[in-house]
Amino acid sequence: MAINQLMKEKVLQDFQRNFDEEPTIVRSPGRVNIIGEHTDYNNGFVLPAAIDKAVYVAVSRRNDDAIKLYSGEFDESFETSLKTLKPTDKGWPNYILGVVDQLIKRSYPIRGFNLAIDGDVPIGSGLSSSAAVECATVFALNELFKLGIEKKELPFIGQKAEHTFAGVMCGIMDQFASVFGKKDHVIKLDCQSLDYEYVPLVLEGYKILLLNTNVKHSLGSSEYNTRRAQCEQGVAWVKEHHPEVNSLRDVNMEMLHKYVQPKDEVIYKRCKYVVEEKERLLTGCEDLKRGDLKALGKKMFETHDGLSKEYEVSCEELDFLVDAVRDNPDVVGARMMGGGFGGCTINIVKEEAIDGLIDQLEESYRAKMGMDLSAYIAQIENGTSLLS
Ligand code: GLA
């Protein structure tokens, strides 16, 4: 597993400088998603994978109810107690405190603890640094207090922490990918049954290139929750005629034409994107299994167009980066990734063309947007693990 030894050392030093003990150290990765965006909370499929960028936490027990946190990334401390847990304006502690709150609500016997956190998942990049923090925390506290929580429960505790302490009504994809990631594989996850299959990610001469817009538009979380509510409204209108329908998973285009389009054109567009994306993922996954990267890449562009024009969660910077590679023969597919309104595009690019492409895009992005672009080649790695 690609453990960033420097990061591990840094979190250990941060911990010992602040708390002066031998900690338990856990790594939990960020994720990419090949195709299947905004399908998880609609009970569809997703195709994510854990990457080599991760969050590291170091924890030790306390004999009281205090929670003492230190973030290396922000060089900030935060203190509270098990008795007075609530979301804070500070931001970063919420992903940790939300997990603690869930453990208490589920009656797990935890005590106070010290925790230092650091990582190399760029924040706000659409690579799910928040899910990585939640999963690292729940995994570490499970170890530290010997709570006996089964691995398959961990992502759900992280997801609920995000709902309650960060206010984002996210699906399960990010936390699931962080915990269950497998080196060189993507996870085909059915978000309804929660069955999953590991599919080898064979890219023969191509690599996954992430291009970070370095913007995170503030509407991200409120618009995310609005999209989720719009999908639920569409389902409710269909359900009036088809009581067996419980989510967009059960809905087809004919139902949308009949029962949603006449009521609201915007909600129709949102639902149409999701219904089409469900299909794109299933066929795209078959393309990947057959090694037909061209066919998969074409679907990635279609996903982007749906996210941009119908689901309307893209932004100028993301559209610019996708349009800039659309006709490039060395790029088989590209699209915005994650919740939207900023963050990264995911690109499948011929290995030898990567350096030239980055140089070219850095220049044109700067000229057009007046900002720097960051580029990373994502390696697919294992999920959450105990380092020491
Ligand atoms: C965010 C959420 C996920 C998922 C994606 C969009 O990353 O946390 O649950 O909905 O957006 O696919």
Side-chain angles (χ1 to χ4, degrees):
M1 179 201 323
I3 296 169
N4 182 335
Q5 286 299 344
L6 285 177
M7 219 62 247
K8 184 187 164 193
E9 280 309 310
K10 181 161 181 293
V11 82
L12 178 62
Q13 282 164 15
D14 284 348
F15 186 89
Q16 290 179 330
R17 215 178 38 251
N18 283 274
F19 308 117
D20 188 29
E21 287 161 22
E22 266 315 305
T24 297
I25 303 183
V26 168
R27 165 193 182 274
S28 201
R31 62 104 190 89
V32 289
N33 184 27
I34 305 294
I35 196 162
E37 215 65 88
H38 288 272
T39 45
D40 59 353
Y41 54 84
N42 287 304
N43 283 0
F45 288 82
V46 286
L47 204 59
I51 58 173
D52 53 339
K53 293 195 177 287
V55 162
Y56 295 76
V57 299
V59 286
S60 70
R61 284 170 180 250
R62 298 181 55 88
N63 293 320
D64 56 17
D65 285 338
I67 299 175
K68 297 199 176 190
L69 311 177
Y70 172 79
S71 160
E73 191 144 1
F74 294 96
D75 187 21
E76 264 177 23
S77 298
F78 184 85
E79 249 189 83
T80 183
S81 131
L82 290 177
K83 298 264 169 352
T84 53
L85 268 189
K86 56 176 186 330
T88 142
D89 295 343
K90 236 187 182 164
W92 66 266
N94 284 323
Y95 305 99
I96 300 164
L97 303 181
V99 166
V100 178
D101 183 58
Q102 282 306 307
L103 294 176
I104 295 173
K105 290 218 162 80
R106 290 160 201 239
S107 306
Y108 286 110
I110 68 164
R111 295 294 314 268
F113 60 91
N114 302 316
L115 180 151
I117 183 162
D118 215 324
D120 56 6
V121 189
I123 291 176
S125 61
L127 301 177
S128 295
S129 58
S130 60
V133 174
E134 291 147 6
C135 294
T137 304
V138 69
F139 194 102
L141 296 179
N142 192 28
E143 283 294 324
L144 189 68
F145 294 108
K146 305 273 171 272
L147 302 178
I149 308 173
E150 277 187 63
K151 187 175 173 186
K152 66 178 198 299
E153 282 305 311
L154 301 176
F156 294 92
I157 295 175
Q159 179 195 25
K160 201 74 201 189
E162 180 97 21
H163 290 182
T164 52
F165 272 55
V168 180
M169 297 305 291
C170 64
I172 194 61
M173 169 169 74
D174 305 347
Q175 291 82 2
F176 199 94
S178 190
V179 171
F180 282 93
K182 178 171 168 177
K183 188 170 174 56
D184 297 332
H185 289 72
V186 295
I187 310 170
K188 182 185 177 194
L189 170 67
D190 178 340
C191 300
Q192 180 156 280
S193 65
L194 299 172
D195 290 340
Y196 63 97
E197 177 195 347
Y198 289 115
V199 178
L201 183 65
V202 183
L203 292 178
E204 300 291 0
Y206 286 79
K207 284 205 181 297
I208 294 183
L209 175 68
L210 301 173
L211 296 172
N212 190 351
T213 57
N214 288 317
V215 295
K216 182 177 172 21
H217 294 293
S218 58
L219 6 107
S221 42
S222 65
E223 288 294 317
Y224 185 94
N225 294 347
T226 305
R227 293 300 174 281
R228 190 170 176 153
Q230 288 170 327
C231 293
E232 283 163 8
Q233 178 61 73
V235 171
W237 284 332
V238 175
K239 203 176 169 71
E240 288 169 8
H241 305 270
H242 288 274
E244 74 283 4
V245 160
N246 290 316
S247 68
L248 286 179
R249 172 72 172 264
D250 311 323
V251 168
N252 58 37
M253 283 306 293
E254 196 189 328
M255 293 169 175
L256 291 181
H257 281 307
K258 264 186 156 157
Y259 308 122
V260 180
Q261 194 167 23
K263 295 223 186 211
D264 189 308
E265 200 52 52
V266 171
I267 294 190
Y268 168 74
K269 272 199 303 187
R270 308 293 193 243
C271 296
K272 172 176 178 285
Y273 159 76
V274 173
V275 167
E276 289 176 350
E277 181 71 353
K278 277 191 311 189
E279 197 48 41
R280 258 193 304 265
L281 180 137
L282 294 176
T283 49
C285 190
E286 292 311 308
D287 296 338
L288 179 63
K289 286 180 182 170
R290 278 198 323 274
D292 190 348
L293 291 185
K294 265 219 161 88
L296 172 66
K298 186 163 173 280
K299 294 188 179 73
M300 291 169 72
F301 283 117
E302 287 167 10
T303 293
H304 182 79
D305 294 338
L307 288 166
S308 178
K309 299 195 178 76
E310 295 177 330
Y311 217 64
E312 294 182 281
V313 291
S314 187
C315 60
E316 202 190 347
E317 296 85 353
L318 289 166
D319 288 346
F320 175 82
L321 289 178
V322 171
D323 288 339
V325 298
R326 220 180 261 276
D327 298 320
N328 186 327
D330 295 324
V331 182
V332 290
R335 62 178 195 82
M336 57 149 282
M337 192 176 67
F341 302 102
C344 287
T345 62
I346 174 169
N347 304 259
I348 302 184
V349 186
K350 204 179 254 172
E351 224 173 313
E352 62 264 24
I354 289 181
D355 289 345
L357 181 68
I358 295 174
D359 288 347
Q360 174 210 324
L361 289 177
E362 271 175 353
E363 210 181 303
S364 58
Y365 189 73
R366 168 150 281 289
K368 176 79 190 186
M369 301 294 164
M371 261 181 323
D372 286 334
L373 179 72
S374 323
Y376 329 102
I377 294 174
Q379 309 285 351
I380 305 307
E381 292 295 340
N382 286 329
T384 320
S385 65
L386 184 65
L387 300 186
S388 63

